[in-house]
Amino acid sequence: LSLLGSAGALALFSLSSGTALFMVLWASSKFAQSAGWPALTKLVCAWIPEARWGSVFGVLSTSSRVGSALADAFLGSLLKGGFSWRRALQIDAITVGCVMVLLAALVRNSPADRGLQLGSDAVCANGRRRRHNGLSRHGGRG
């Protein structure tokens, strides 16, 4: 839902005018993007052994910043290529929407949703303990 909110705010931003509305819509887009982190934390907890959480979040945080820089470069190239800023933001909103559809099709909440079973103990963000040290389709070590 956070990607949907971000794409919607970007699309509205591209159609609007006025500084106050720009600020509200841009802030709404960034707020919606930040709302994705709790869901990402839940996915990491469900899929990754606790001992690797620090490394995984380091990679995810870095990729978030790198992705933002690449998106800025992409939008800049659209502007340099003759697109208006409005059209560039519409393309950005469409791109975010496409990523949302791709993630909805591929990402599952837990290994069990993919028919996988878990191994040793890990503690999730909600405080529950889970078994998790390897993945397999039939309960053996993966």
Side-chain angles (χ1 to χ4, degrees):
L1 290 175
S2 66
L3 287 176
L4 180 63
S6 179
L10 286 170
L12 289 173
F13 186 98
S14 73
L15 300 172
S16 63
S17 58
T19 305
L21 189 54
F22 282 167
M23 289 188 323
V24 168
L25 290 170
W26 195 256
S28 297
S29 173
K30 296 305 178 185
F31 179 77
Q33 290 173 16
S34 71
W37 279 100
L40 185 61
T41 300
K42 183 178 178 182
L43 287 172
V44 168
C45 175
W47 282 90
I48 305 297
E50 184 177 8
R52 295 186 49 217
W53 288 353
S55 298
V56 169
F57 277 112
V59 168
L60 291 172
S61 296
T62 301
S63 68
S64 170
R65 297 299 85 219
V66 170
S68 181
L70 291 174
D72 290 346
F74 173 66
L75 293 174
S77 69
L78 291 176
L79 295 172
K80 188 174 180 180
F83 287 91
S84 70
W85 67 268
R86 291 179 188 276
R87 181 64 65 202
L89 285 177
Q90 290 166 356
I91 291 170
D92 191 24
I94 291 167
T95 302
V96 170
C98 290
V99 169
M100 180 189 67
V101 169
L102 181 68
L103 291 174
L106 297 177
V107 175
R108 295 294 171 253
N109 288 328
S110 71
D113 292 344
R114 287 271 188 219
L116 302 170
Q117 293 182 2
L118 302 175
S120 84
D121 289 333
V123 180
C124 290
N126 63 8
R128 293 185 311 186
R129 296 196 68 74
R130 323 191 40 159
R131 302 284 299 162
H132 196 320
N133 72 349
L135 301 175
S136 73
R137 292 226 177 249
H138 305 292
R141 296 227 359 147

